[in-house]
Amino acid sequence: MHSEADWPAAARQFQQQLGEGWTQAMKSFSGLGASAQPANPFGPALTFSPEKLAALQKAYLQEAAELWNHGLSGVAAGDKRFASEAWGTNPVAAFSAATYLLNGRTMLGLVEAAEADAKTKKRLRFAVEQWMAATAPSNFMALNAEAQKKAIETRGESIAKGIQNLLHDLRQGHVSMTDETQFEVGRNVATTEGAVVFQNALIQLIEYKPTTAKVFERPFLVVPPCINKFYILDLQPENSLVKYLVDQGHRTFVVSWRNPDDALGESTWDDYVGHGPIEAIRVVQEITGAPTINALGFCVGGTLLGTTMAVLAARGEKPVASATFLTSLLDFAETGVLDLFIDENFVKFREMQMGKGGLLKGQELASTFSFLRPNDLVWNYVVGNYLKGETPPPFDLLYWNSDSTNLPGPMYAWYLRNTYFENNLVKPGKCTVCGEKVDLRKVDVPVYVYGSREDHIVPIGGAYASVNHLPGRKRFVMGASGHIAGVINPPAKNKRSYWTGDKLPRTHAEWLQGATEHPGSWWTDWAAWLKPHGGKQVAAPRRYGKGTAYQPIEPAPGSYVKARA
């Protein structure tokens, strides 16, 4: 704890430590090697407001004095990491937790006292939050009262089990979030019945077996993200968006992206658009005989679908009659915490590192997304698996989350510069993809745009911004919860809620003022919107594919989805 005279020096030390911490964080998040030195974004000129610093000093000394006067009986109220009885009955542990929380609040207060631009302040806050998450006393056996109690009660068995868990995770290359032995793709996840009817070097196209006597004449194509695997949309029968589509009478096709290996290390964004959605749309048209289709893009799949539709529009083709964008970005002006990492130096480094070839490893991507919520997705499992010797319970969503995918370097480098850094997709004619100038103003079809309220990957304002660039008839819907849980919310569960609003002002904040909340799942609203776009009802097909040109290759979910990174 600092005396009154120490505070200016403490602020300088805080700046230095943040700079060092940011450098290490950026190496971890961006995969920089030991020889690369990302610039300290806080710099030598970072200053603090004297008034805010004085107020923070006064509050810190007052709280520290109160904590000290209580002796070894500090209480870390309101934090679930220290909520168990073991923390409350262990004076040393309780005092260490209370001191840690006081120091963390003070560090965040120093962030607010810093005289800096908004982005630098966000970087400061992120660095402090990462430091706080990593240095919590709950992360260390010597300070974790709950882990110590369990070790005593089990006569050391929990420690032995924790060491086994640690060695297992070191071998597999990531922290276990669930008991992965309980799941197998195609056996108890991704089980909706179907067949692969087409494949190329980048995708397999799956056609699903109808469950209704009649289907809509206009088929439905799903373009999932290539950053993760498609079966997040087909985890279990009761929460499968794919099965829901089939049961609603839509003849459903899903793109399954290949998990790239070194042979695909030179693939580009053009390859992903041309051999992905463009090829899938063509094949679906040929198999079904339908001149137009309905399509859905989820996350990066939505960015790819929007790009695809703009490319085809530039060629005078409009094969997509309606489009659904789920937690997708077309306008990258608002990207949340991911924006903190992306600047000219970072993008140039990535282009130099892998712009001509190579792979961005799946584990690197997975780590990046996990550390956006470090307490929930990293340290929670470090404590449970290693300090307490627990095996995490089976959870299909977390199994999918651990099943990471690689990305080709050239594709990733183009994506970084043209979306997150320069936001070129919304600048008419700025991007050239597959030989065509991208202009979203030409994507003149009805669209359903969905965003999740607590999404930390596609912020709700960023998802909403798509309505400002697509000229067709639009409906925007906001669901409760986050990037995945908000989307995967089947009606039968009767959970959460969603919001609708007919007027579409410029910003999401304005839209929300006039929005109406509804209980339950947004899926029913979407199904009602989609139904008239399906066309008339026709007899369901009795076989997969079409003739000799598109014969079933293998049962769903196919082989591409089973390749591990």
Side-chain angles (χ1 to χ4, degrees), residues 275-292:
H275 300 299
I278 288 180
E279 189 79 337
I281 289 169
R282 179 189 66 80
V283 173
V284 170
Q285 288 177 299
E286 291 186 0
I287 288 176
T288 63
T292 58

Side-chain angles (χ1 to χ4, degrees), residues 294-482:
N294 296 313
L296 176 152
F298 177 29
C299 190
V300 182
T303 310
L304 285 162
L305 177 62
T307 306
T308 293
M309 293 170 68
V311 167
L312 293 175
R315 296 174 179 172
E317 303 173 24
K318 292 190 176 180
V320 177
S322 78
T324 299
F325 295 96
L326 302 184
T327 59
S328 298
L329 290 172
L330 296 176
D331 184 336
F332 285 74
E334 184 178 338
T335 57
V337 70
L338 291 175
D339 180 59
L340 302 183
F341 307 109
I342 297 170
D343 55 23
E344 181 68 37
N345 289 333
F346 175 75
V347 174
K348 282 184 175 178
F349 173 79
R350 283 307 209 185
E351 289 172 337
M352 177 185 68
Q353 182 190 40
M354 58 179 63
K356 299 297 183 183
L359 293 175
L360 179 69
K361 295 295 186 180
Q363 187 51 48
E364 187 179 328
L365 277 169
S367 296
T368 298
F369 288 119
S370 291
F371 273 98
L372 297 180
R373 294 170 53 199
N375 284 326
D376 293 332
L377 296 179
V378 181
W379 299 109
N380 173 52
Y381 297 102
V382 168
V383 171
N385 296 1
Y386 312 147
L387 301 192
K388 299 180 185 178
E390 298 171 346
T391 299
F395 189 9
D396 52 11
L397 191 150
L398 290 178
Y399 173 79
W400 165 85
N401 191 65
S402 299
D403 192 4
S404 57
T405 56
N406 302 322
L407 285 181
M411 177 267 195
Y412 170 66
W414 189 99
Y415 177 59
L416 269 184
R417 177 168 290 281
N418 287 281
T419 59
Y420 279 95
F421 185 52
E422 295 183 357
N423 196 18
N424 287 332
L425 287 180
V426 295
K427 301 173 184 176
K430 180 68 173 178
C431 285
T432 299
V433 178
C434 297
E436 307 292 345
K437 297 289 187 181
V438 173
D439 187 349
L440 293 176
R441 296 175 302 179
K442 296 181 179 179
V443 182
D444 188 10
V445 300
V447 295
Y448 188 101
V449 180
Y450 168 87
S452 291
R453 184 178 57 181
E454 288 92 28
D455 197 332
H456 64 291
I457 295 173
V458 177
I460 185 66
Y464 179 84
S466 295
V467 305
N468 295 322
H469 304 284
L470 300 170
R473 289 181 290 115
K474 299 175 282 280
R475 181 168 180 79
F476 179 80
V477 172
M478 179 179 76
S481 197

Side-chain angles (χ1 to χ4, degrees), residues 159-172:
I159 295 176
K161 178 62 175 173
I163 293 172
Q164 292 176 9
N165 289 343
L166 175 61
L167 293 174
H168 171 268
D169 287 356
L170 287 172
R171 285 192 297 270
Q172 75 175 5

